Every structure is written in structure tokens, then in C-alpha cells.
Amino acid sequence: MGSSDGKIHQVTSNGNIKENPLKIFVGYDPREDLAYEVCRHSILKRSSIPVEIIPIKQSELRKEGLYWRERGQFESTEFSFSRFLTPHLASYEGWAMFVDCDFLYLADIKELRDLIDDKYAIMCVQHDYTPKETTKMDGAVQTVYPRKNWSSMVLYNCGHPKNKVLTPEVVNKETGAFLHRFQWLEDNEIGSIPFVWNFLEGHNKVVENDPQTQPKAVHYTRGGPWFEAWKHCEFADLWLNEKDEFVKESTKKTAT
């Protein structure tokens, strides 16, 4: 864990060590606003470390002049490409995380942060995944490509020299293959994270009596219970319980 250079900690003027919040950028799509809120709630509720959660909203990025590419026919969400602005949005400093909004966290994000190794440019779950479905979510086309789902949750070493390649210009013009397959990096610059941190609903399996296979974050990659067609998917109950809790807390806040 690299903390000597101020990436994770900083020393205050009176000599105390202060923990910098882990920046977590979450892909946002207006059609999945509730999914974003539940994902955010699930992280904050369980986190024992300071975190800063920032939605990546395409409309805001366009206003700021950071995103201008036209939407392609295979982009199933508004953050298909904007996710790769994460190092830029973190000012190319320290470690930051990107995650799709269709995740539900079941464990403390500190456990994930503690896996960080400064020798890598990025770290992610290296899935070997070929979806059987031809459509996902609300009828979007399901595409198949190498390293599929690797980019759905990534820890970025934003200060790594290689990640300085990810300028707004590059993110707006490069191909899906270049970006989603991390072609700006060598294979040995990509660290591996246990699959339970990006547990693909409908693909990964829990093995009985093997705690190593219990999901720490469920990824409803085919579609989650916020879509009518997927309300009975595996782990739907966990998401629905979290949603009810979020709604209850929001109602309470509004009432006070």
C-alpha cells in the first residue's frame, strides 16, 4: 500500500495523519437514477474509511467541455465512454475508483482499498466472460469483446504516467476496443482483484461452504430489479432490501 507519497494519507500541520477520502466515480444514467442511489447508499453504509462519491453525468461533462463524442449504436448507457475520464476528473492524482451504477456493495470498501498496489496503473477483476444473452437491461444490444466487464469497476492509479494518456481528447476520439480493453497499458500494468468484488449476476456462482466465492459486490450486468424484466434475477432481494432502506432514510430526511 503506497501511503508515503500522500496518495492515501496526508500529514496535517500539527503532525497528525489524516486519511484522504477515496474518490469513487459512479457511472450515471438518468434512466437508472435509482440504481445509482442504491449503489451509493450500499457503499456509504458499509464504509469504515472516508469516501467521496461522485456521479459521472454526461450532461454535466458536455457543459464543461469535457465530453463531446456522439453516442454510438452499441452504447447501452450514458457512461460507456465517459468512465475513462476518471483519472482526469481526479486531477491525475492518487488512486480513484470507477464503478457502474448497477452494483450493490455488500462489504466494506476499505477491504478493496487495502488491495491497492502502487506498481499497477489500474486494478480490476479480470473476468473471462461471454454473455449468453443477446440483449441486456431495457433491450440494449449485448456485445461480446475481449476483457468484457473489466472496465465496469476499476481502481485507477491516477498519478501513474501511463494514465496521463487518458485526456478528454483521447477519451472522445478513441475506439471502444482501445478504451475498454485498456490498450494504452501493458498486461503487467493491470493488477488483478478477486472476482467477488465484481460478482456478475447470472455468470459467477457461489460455491457452498466456500466463503471465497461469496459476493462482496453484486454486478447486475444483465439488468437489475429496477427493470421490470429483471425483477426476479438472482440477488434481487438484496437489492430491493437496500432500496427500501434508502427510500425510508430519504423520506425521514425530507420529513425533518
Side-chain angles (χ1 to χ4, degrees):
M1 167 76 77
S3 55
S4 57
D5 51 7
K7 285 181 180 178
I8 306 286
H9 302 107
Q10 63 185 39
V11 180
T12 59
S13 53
N14 59 4
N16 294 332
I17 289 179
K18 180 178 165 229
E19 199 166 8
N20 290 331
L22 175 66
K23 285 193 164 119
I24 301 175
F25 293 90
V26 182
Y28 182 88
D29 192 302
R31 296 168 310 149
E32 298 185 79
D33 176 71
L34 187 58
Y36 162 76
E37 292 291 358
V38 173
C39 174
R40 179 176 182 275
H41 182 270
S42 72
I43 295 170
L44 290 173
K45 181 174 111 176
R46 296 168 177 84
S47 182
S48 64
I49 57 168
V51 294
E52 183 185 353
I53 299 180
I54 305 138
I56 291 190
K57 295 188 174 180
Q58 194 184 115
S59 56
E60 289 175 8
L61 295 173
R62 286 187 184 277
K63 271 186 210 142
E64 289 163 26
L66 294 175
Y67 195 77
W68 56 86
R69 76 186 290 159
E70 283 179 33
R71 186 157 179 170
Q73 64 184 81
F74 296 119
E75 290 178 52
S76 58
T77 64
E78 285 201 0
F79 48 87
S80 293
F81 287 103
S82 57
R83 70 186 70 217
F84 298 104
L85 288 169
T86 295
H88 178 85
L89 295 171
S91 308
Y92 303 103
E93 286 174 3
W95 282 82
M97 179 172 138
F98 170 82
V99 64
D100 286 2
C101 65
D102 54 358
F103 272 66
L104 176 71
Y105 280 83
L106 303 171
D108 186 347
I109 211 79
K110 179 185 184 293
E111 290 180 47
L112 181 59
R113 200 235 18 215
D114 288 350
L115 299 175
I116 282 175
D117 187 331
D118 281 344
K119 75 178 181 190
Y120 296 115
I122 66 166
M123 298 181 74
C124 66
V125 175
Q126 300 184 4
H127 288 295
D128 179 13
Y129 173 58
T130 307
K132 297 182 281 291
E133 298 78 25
T134 53
T135 59
K136 61 178 179 176
M137 289 189 271
D138 49 353
V141 174
Q142 179 68 275
T143 51
V144 178
Y145 52 85
R147 294 185 170 174
K148 185 169 179 71
N149 262 316
W150 286 29
S151 64
S152 56
M153 191 194 80
V154 182
L155 286 164
Y156 282 94
N157 185 352
C158 302
H160 193 285
K162 283 284 191 80
N163 288 330
K164 296 209 163 58
V165 164
L166 293 177
T167 60
E169 289 69 30
V170 165
V171 171
N172 279 281
K173 76 168 199 302
E174 269 298 351
T175 62
F178 177 86
L179 294 165
H180 285 282
R181 298 179 205 171
F182 310 129
Q183 287 177 351
W184 70 93
L185 300 173
E186 302 297 325
D187 289 355
N188 65 0
E189 291 165 333
I190 305 172
S192 184
I193 290 171
F195 80 94
V196 289
W197 285 104
N198 187 345
F199 189 105
L200 302 177
E201 182 277 326
H203 172 69
N204 291 128
K205 294 280 174 266
V206 176
V207 177
E208 210 177 339
N209 301 322
D210 183 359
Q212 301 293 312
T213 63
Q214 283 293 336
K216 291 179 185 286
V218 176
H219 183 189
Y220 299 90
T221 182
R222 304 182 300 167
W226 54 96
F227 290 118
E228 186 60 30
W230 294 99
K231 66 180 189 198
H232 299 301
C233 65
E234 198 180 2
F235 305 111
D237 56 333
L238 297 181
W239 189 90
L240 291 165
N241 290 342
E242 194 85 24
K243 181 206 71 166
D244 291 345
E245 204 176 278
F246 160 71
V247 170
K248 210 178 282 174
E249 284 176 23
S250 306
T251 314
K252 232 186 266 171
K253 274 181 205 153
T254 317
T256 52

